Amino acid sequence: MRERPRPEEKLLLGITNSDSSGRLLAAALQQFGEKGFHAATTRDISEGAEMSPAGVYVRYASKVELLFELTKISHEIALSQVRQALDDAPPRPAERVRLFVEAFARYHVEHPLLARVSQYELTALPAERFKEVNKIRRNVEKLLRAELEAGVASGDFEVPNVKGVSTAILSLCIDIARWSLSQSRDQNGDITNLYGDLALKMISA
């Protein structure tokens, strides 16, 4: 009997609407997280999903396609969450940036394994696949830069290098995924508020 699905597996099962695809993605995620993309094998993944190696290729043409699907899903979720945060945010520039940063940080706190694999194994993708995922990443950056530029224009922020500061803020949040796996959810409880505060200290006029 299979163990109860882990949180990432539940997430992937819900997104794919397919038990077998969700199990394969969850198994690939676990293997990529533990061994790295290049060291993980298709056999490792199939065993983790309790399927035959041939069953992997029925659904995904290669190990690369599994990584692409995971990185695409991860970046799409992050983009969706920051967009939602901005849609719900009041017009005040500082509050909008705070809510953006908290949403982006929260994603990395709640899904550290998926976030870590999608960020740190991204360069293993072939050029065309990398471009598809990188386009989503750029949309996240554009949203934050637009909020910073609006705050500079209104006089709320003092940001001499909007591109550099937006990269720094996003990098802080992304790095949560590297250490968050070793922390309990309780220890991570206040991290989103902390990162919101740090971002505002970086940009306040």
Side-chain angles (χ1 to χ4, degrees):
M1 182 181 295
R2 298 187 74 241
E3 295 180 359
R4 291 166 62 179
R6 293 180 293 270
E8 284 90 354
E9 185 172 359
K10 287 183 179 179
L11 174 69
L12 295 168
L13 285 168
I15 290 171
T16 59
N17 292 316
S18 166
D19 180 70
S20 55
S21 294
R23 283 162 50 197
L24 280 170
L25 287 171
L29 176 63
Q30 196 68 31
Q31 291 298 320
F32 297 157
E34 290 177 0
K35 301 177 181 179
F37 172 76
H38 294 291
T41 67
T42 304
R43 182 171 294 278
D44 293 331
I45 295 167
S46 64
E47 288 177 355
E50 298 184 2
M51 298 172 63
S52 69
V56 177
Y57 297 109
V58 170
R59 294 160 184 84
Y60 295 95
S62 66
K63 186 175 72 168
V64 167
E65 287 304 301
L66 282 162
L67 178 62
F68 168 68
E69 192 67 19
L70 287 169
T71 55
K72 183 169 176 284
I73 286 171
S74 178
H75 284 83
E76 285 178 340
I77 294 172
L79 177 59
S80 174
Q81 291 186 358
V82 296
R83 277 180 170 161
Q84 187 62 56
L86 291 176
D87 287 345
D88 296 338
R92 296 186 300 278
E95 196 63 21
R96 292 181 64 79
V97 169
R98 172 188 285 281
L99 291 174
F100 176 102
V101 173
E102 288 181 355
F104 195 57
R106 187 176 300 109
Y107 171 70
H108 291 82
V109 167
E110 293 179 347
H111 304 288
L113 183 58
L114 181 59
R116 181 161 63 84
V117 167
S118 71
Q119 294 288 348
Y120 296 102
E121 298 292 342
L122 182 62
T123 55
L125 291 175
E128 288 305 311
R129 288 307 204 188
F130 178 87
K131 286 179 183 177
E132 289 184 58
V133 176
N134 201 42
K135 184 177 180 180
I136 306 171
R137 288 165 63 90
R138 294 294 177 230
N139 285 333
V140 174
E141 293 175 17
K142 288 176 184 176
L143 287 174
L144 179 56
R145 284 166 63 178
E147 296 300 327
L148 294 178
E149 288 167 354
V152 170
S154 68
D156 289 84
F157 303 152
E158 186 175 326
V159 186
N161 183 340
V162 168
K163 183 178 180 180
V165 170
S166 65
T167 298
I169 291 172
L170 293 173
S171 296
L172 281 172
C173 296
I174 288 169
D175 209 42
I176 291 171
R178 285 207 307 151
W179 53 261
S180 187
L181 283 169
S182 64
Q183 304 291 324
S184 71
R185 185 61 57 86
D186 290 341
Q187 288 173 301
N188 285 327
D190 295 328
I191 199 70
T192 57
N193 293 333
L194 171 63
Y195 275 51
D197 289 341
L198 289 173
L200 293 185
K201 288 178 180 179
M202 293 170 67
I203 62 179
S204 294

